[in-house]
Amino acid sequence: MTDLLVKSCGPMTTLQDRGRLGFQGFGVSPSGAMDRRALAMANVLVGNAPETAAIEFMNLGGSFTCEGGDLHVALVGAGAAMSIDGTPVPPQTSAILKEGQVLDIGHPRTGTFAYLAIDGGFAVEPQLGSLSFHLRSRLGGLNGAALKAGDRLPCRGSGDEREPMQLVVQPPEDGGAIRVMLGPQDDYFPSETICLFLESDFTVSPQADRMGFQLTGPRLEHAKGFNIVSDGIVDGHIQVPGSGQPIVLMRDRQTAGGYPKIATVISADLGRFAQLRPGTTLRFRAVERAEALAAARGLKDWLAALPSQLTPVRFNLTTEHLLSRNLIGGTVDALASAPHE
Amino acid sequence: MVPTPKILPCGDSAVTIEFGDRIDPDVNGMVLALDDIIRARAPEGLLETVPTYRSLTVQFDPVTTDYDALIRLVTEETKDLAPRNAVGRRWRVPVVYGGDFGSDLDEVAQTHGMTPNQLIEIHSSAIYRIYMIGFLPGFTYLGGLDKRIATSRRVQPRAKIPAGTIMIGGEQAGIAPMDMPSGWHNLGLTPVRPYAPERDPVFLFAAGDEIVFEPVDASRWEALEKAARAGEPVAEEMRP
């Protein structure tokens, strides 16, 4: 069995998969990867199921080696780059990490979260059905903790012949503004507040973590106060506490809470929202269920199609090859246009 | 007379069915009854249900779930729904009130024009019902707080309060199962750990159980805390 060794990493470098479902009734947060698209892409590149646990990097990169064999690795998300013994690996391309080589992961640059997938995933015991680390409940991860220098992660390894792959794919259509459905407590706000919410710029504050993103913007006034009897919370709920500054609840959110929730980010846009860095300005756009559902379907189809878009790196991509796969339009340099998150 | 529940959309992947806007055993009983039905019927795409004080949040895969059929099922099943009132256990939970153990006690007492001892007396003479476990693993949401000491939440939540904090917010009361952020007021501290991943059972309390707080002196803290650290529940089960 091959082990992945952590030489260095940031404080919130964690194992994350789809999340921990089925225990919210006991107050257990689902947690899970903040950007499911990037998680899926990294996994598909090394031949894993899209929701296999990977290492999630938040803001900072890290450095790794392996012992006992070679590993097939891929890094996707937020424009983070990886290199092996100082040689850069092209974006959205997997690579073979040989025993004794050093894998360096750069900082996420265009967003906050990047994912390192290893073929076969990690041979780590799940807690309550998931490897996802949840900070506040000390569940999941490696022995209930985030990763740190000196950690040793046993890897399953698929046993398959390993071959570096490239994923040439554009992100799904998103349409700019972060789409929300109003509710469940939009009736706790006067119509002027709803208008203000939908027509104003909000900025992601530095208080943004896996639990929630505090936004700053115009003060959102309540019509009937901000004390409600606590009720259920879901990913993407936008709650408005007494300060009038909204908080978007993310994967490590609580299971129930007591501030009125003006709207909910649609499922297809939550990963994109998670990649907005502190200081980024955004707007919300209200949509009906039909549009949210179409976006959810679009994302699901996009994820399902990923494995068919894999190209072995040995093909040494040419413009002709890409055009033959009908993945890009117009005349572009295939290598220069290799897209990233 | 069964009230018609409100159907509140929570984005494309969840819906909350709300039976009321207050803390009430019958409202909570309806929530638990509907939870039983939805779990048993398990409509396609269902991911999980989250029962709370007054509403049931149903989470589902938006692509594989027939939303309209789900709402029809809810509407049909809630027409003649009878509340499920679980008979639970009653727990005695020791609390050291005030001082370093409950930094907001004096201020909350002052808000209500009473002495800290009067507030302790009122808080510790009620029988609390565990309406739900939520927010964090093992966090008990308690109903039964005397209206005379109901206190609006803090405008600025605190980033961290210690595990075991006995607190009140609005008309709710609770016990912090671990260090956590909170907008509630800290009245005291208990050595009881409602959630201990290394202990069997991991979760000490269940929805439907009752809790009584017993004021204890700070001098007893260390012995109780030591017992709790050794895996003892510390909370005593009483005969109701």
Side-chain angles (χ1 to χ4, degrees):
Chain A
M1 186 178 279
T2 309
D3 288 345
L4 183 71
L5 276 66
V6 183
K7 278 166 63 85
S8 66
C9 65
M12 271 306 279
T13 306
T14 65
L15 295 181
Q16 296 294 340
D17 51 25
R18 184 199 186 189
R20 190 169 280 109
L21 294 178
F23 299 95
Q24 289 187 73
F26 301 100
V28 178
S29 171
S31 55
M34 292 287 276
D35 183 351
R36 302 264 166 90
R37 295 180 314 179
L39 173 74
M41 289 171 76
N43 272 319
V44 165
L45 274 164
V46 295
N48 289 347
E51 292 170 335
T52 306
I55 297 176
E56 181 182 276
F57 297 87
M58 179 174 170
N59 292 320
L60 299 168
S63 185
F64 301 82
T65 56
C66 65
E67 222 174 76
D70 302 343
L71 291 173
H72 188 192
V73 301
L75 180 80
V76 176
M82 68 175 178
S83 62
I84 292 177
D85 276 353
T87 305
V89 177
Q92 290 174 206
T93 303
S94 68
I96 307 301
L97 177 68
K98 293 196 165 66
E99 190 162 6
Q101 289 184 322
V102 177
L103 171 67
D104 279 308
I105 308 294
H107 303 337
R109 290 173 304 177
T110 59
T112 303
F113 299 98
Y115 297 85
L116 176 68
I118 310 288
D119 68 319
F122 301 102
V124 173
E125 198 59 40
Q127 279 186 291
L128 300 180
S130 168
L131 289 188
S132 290
F133 171 63
H134 186 250
L135 180 68
R136 284 168 184 84
S137 51
R138 299 181 290 276
L139 272 171
L142 190 63
N143 305 318
L147 299 183
K148 59 184 186 308
D151 278 347
R152 178 181 286 267
L153 285 153
C155 303
R156 291 191 194 283
S158 60
D160 296 345
E161 189 85 354
R162 297 184 177 106
E163 181 179 25
M165 302 294 273
Q166 187 154 18
L167 200 47
V168 182
V169 60
Q170 300 294 338
E173 264 325 295
D174 57 41
I178 298 296
R179 291 168 290 185
V180 300
M181 283 172 65
L182 289 178
Q185 275 106 24
D186 48 321
D187 61 340
Y188 272 71
F189 300 89
S191 56
E192 307 85 72
T193 298
I194 304 283
C195 289
L196 198 62
F197 171 69
L198 294 172
E199 289 166 8
S200 304
D201 287 343
F202 289 89
T203 304
V204 179
S205 90
Q207 281 79 50
D209 60 19
R210 289 187 41 87
M211 192 172 180
F213 279 31
Q214 172 80 62
L215 305 181
T216 54
R219 186 188 171 96
L220 301 177
E221 300 285 353
H222 302 77
K224 323 185 222 175
F226 57 90
N227 281 305
I228 63 167
V229 176
S230 297
D231 69 345
I233 283 182
V234 304
D235 288 356
H237 259 162
I238 304 173
Q239 67 173 10
V240 184
S243 64
Q245 299 294 291
I247 300 167
V248 184
L249 296 163
M250 305 300 286
R251 306 289 186 198
D252 280 1
R253 64 178 169 77
Q254 62 272 37
T255 55
Y259 293 113
K261 296 161 280 285
I262 192 169
T264 312
V265 177
I266 68 169
S267 60
D269 280 3
L270 198 61
R272 184 162 65 92
F273 176 80
Q275 294 285 18
L276 300 180
R277 297 162 68 98
T280 309
T281 295
L282 69 130
R283 282 206 179 195
F284 293 109
R285 181 163 70 83
V287 299
E288 297 297 322
R289 179 172 304 279
E291 184 173 346
L293 189 55
R297 279 210 183 93
L299 178 60
K300 194 168 190 173
D301 292 346
W302 185 88
L303 290 169
L306 284 177
S308 67
Q309 321 254 26
L310 282 173
T311 318
V313 168
R314 69 184 145 83
F315 278 19
N316 200 9
L317 296 179
T318 62
T319 305
E320 291 71 30
H321 174 68
L322 289 174
L323 286 172
S324 77
R325 290 176 65 87
N326 199 23
L327 292 173
I328 56 170
T331 309
V332 290
D333 179 307
L335 288 172
S337 74
H340 56 78
E341 280 289 279
Chain B
M1 175 70 197
V2 178
T4 307
K6 278 194 204 169
I7 308 282
L8 306 173
C10 297
D12 55 352
S13 308
V15 62
T16 290
I17 299 107
E18 185 182 286
F19 289 92
D21 57 6
R22 64 190 196 285
I23 300 169
D24 176 294
D26 281 341
V27 169
N28 188 239
M30 299 289 277
V31 171
L32 297 176
L34 181 63
D35 187 30
D36 290 344
I37 290 166
I38 300 285
R39 281 164 182 267
R41 297 283 291 271
E44 191 181 356
L46 179 73
L47 292 177
E48 63 180 312
T49 56
V50 186
T52 69
Y53 276 117
R54 61 196 182 103
S55 62
L56 183 72
T57 299
V58 179
Q59 300 187 15
F60 50 83
D61 177 341
V63 177
T64 56
T65 299
D66 181 341
Y67 180 75
D68 294 335
L70 175 67
I71 297 308
R72 277 198 303 275
L73 169 69
V74 166
T75 310
E76 197 57 40
E77 293 292 346
T78 48
K79 266 183 197 156
D80 303 303
L81 196 62
R84 189 246 278 176
N85 281 312
V87 178
R89 300 158 295 178
R90 183 178 292 178
W91 300 88
R92 185 188 293 139
V93 171
V95 181
V96 181
Y97 283 94
D100 291 343
F101 295 89
S103 54
D104 296 332
L105 178 74
D106 294 354
E107 195 187 317
V108 173
Q110 207 172 17
T111 303
H112 298 291
M114 55 179 76
T115 67
N117 278 340
Q118 284 172 319
L119 189 120
I120 292 169
E121 168 64 24
I122 292 171
H123 183 262
S124 62
S125 47
I127 297 168
Y128 299 88
R129 170 190 165 115
I130 301 179
Y131 279 84
M132 62 172 181
I133 311 280
F135 182 68
L136 281 173
F139 181 82
T140 50
Y141 281 93
L142 305 176
L145 184 71
D146 192 306
K147 283 196 170 23
R148 285 174 292 168
I149 60 170
T151 312
S152 177
R153 285 186 183 82
R154 294 166 55 83
V155 173
Q156 273 306 326
R158 288 190 175 102
K160 187 175 168 183
I161 60 155
T165 298
I166 301 298
M167 52 200 191
I168 58 172
E171 291 187 13
Q172 305 177 82
I175 306 171
M178 59 185 63
D179 295 353
M180 60 183 277
S182 164
W184 294 16
H185 305 271
N186 305 343
L187 301 186
L189 205 62
T190 179
V192 172
R193 289 159 166 74
Y195 162 72
E198 68 286 354
R199 183 187 60 204
D200 183 21
V202 173
F203 299 101
L204 206 55
F205 308 130
D209 287 0
E210 291 177 327
I211 283 186
V212 175
F213 294 114
E214 181 195 27
V216 296
D217 288 343
S219 60
R220 286 199 59 202
W221 176 262
E222 256 176 55
L224 290 168
E225 168 65 18
K226 197 178 159 193
R229 223 180 299 131
E232 285 178 39
V234 184
E236 252 177 85
E237 211 176 318
M238 305 159 68
R239 289 274 150 245

